[in-house]
Amino acid sequence: LHPRVRRQRQMCIRDRFDYRAILEEALNQLRQLRLSSHETHTICDKAASYIQDHYTDPNLNNNALGNALNISPSYLSRLFKLQFGQAPLDYLYQLRIESAKELLSHTAMTMEDIAVRTGFLNGTALIKIFRKIEGITPGAYRKLMQNNT
């Protein structure tokens, strides 16, 4: 055989072995993932429960959550997003906004008081996140709820 053809055949054989090794590694990783999926769900469920119990804490963030559960914050965030379809902070903000909507609808509390009660640092942070999630300001939401009653 011509040297060039021989090299090409050797490269093809080497490539097949590389692909096989890659496939075997991928299968091993899938097996590990399947074995650890129950553990992943347990960790994410604990994280969601922790957030529900502590959402009014203004210091709650990814780092605090990771520390509380003894897991890397970035790893927890990835797992949480895989299981729940949203990041832990988005889940936290959702809970805070739902609580703020209740207070806006049923009390005459100021934005600052609602912010503090729901875990935001101040009224400005509440307004910013509320507008981002709901598409309107908390004040406009309150007026809408008052007009609907």
Side-chain angles (χ1 to χ4, degrees):
L1 282 175
H2 190 273
R4 181 184 287 161
V5 173
R6 187 177 299 141
R7 272 194 308 254
Q8 287 177 339
R9 279 189 179 174
Q10 288 172 343
M11 287 179 66
C12 287
I13 291 170
R14 204 174 323 130
D15 287 346
R16 277 192 228 145
F17 285 117
D18 289 344
Y19 287 130
R20 184 175 181 175
I22 291 169
L23 286 174
E24 286 176 359
E25 178 63 26
L27 283 173
N28 285 334
Q29 288 179 0
L30 285 172
R31 286 185 194 110
Q32 289 293 347
L33 183 62
R34 191 179 69 197
L35 291 174
S36 68
S37 68
H38 176 70
E39 182 180 315
T40 297
H41 284 283
T42 303
I43 290 169
C44 292
D45 291 338
K46 284 180 183 177
S49 180
Y50 188 88
I51 292 170
Q52 290 166 7
D53 292 342
H54 297 90
Y55 76 92
T56 59
D57 178 358
N59 297 314
L60 184 58
N61 58 30
N62 280 337
N63 287 334
L65 185 60
N67 288 339
L69 298 174
N70 202 24
I71 187 169
S72 158
S74 60
Y75 182 61
L76 175 60
S77 188
R78 273 186 283 146
L79 293 178
F80 196 95
K81 191 165 187 167
L82 280 173
Q83 182 173 339
F84 294 114
Q86 63 183 17
L89 276 184
D90 293 334
Y91 181 69
L92 171 64
Y93 290 148
Q94 194 93 34
L95 287 175
R96 287 177 175 171
I97 294 303
E98 289 304 315
S99 180
K101 285 167 64 175
E102 281 294 312
L103 294 171
L104 288 164
S105 299
H106 302 342
T107 71
M109 293 172 66
T110 66
M111 290 301 155
E112 282 297 319
D113 291 341
I114 291 174
V116 170
R117 173 94 48 106
T118 56
F120 290 100
L121 290 175
N122 53 46
T124 304
L126 166 63
I127 293 167
K128 180 181 174 186
I129 300 296
F130 196 100
R131 184 183 301 141
K132 181 180 176 185
I133 292 176
E134 296 297 322
I136 61 173
T137 64
Y141 178 83
R142 178 177 265 166
K143 286 179 183 172
L144 274 174
M145 293 298 105
Q146 290 171 346
N147 290 340
N148 288 338
T149 56

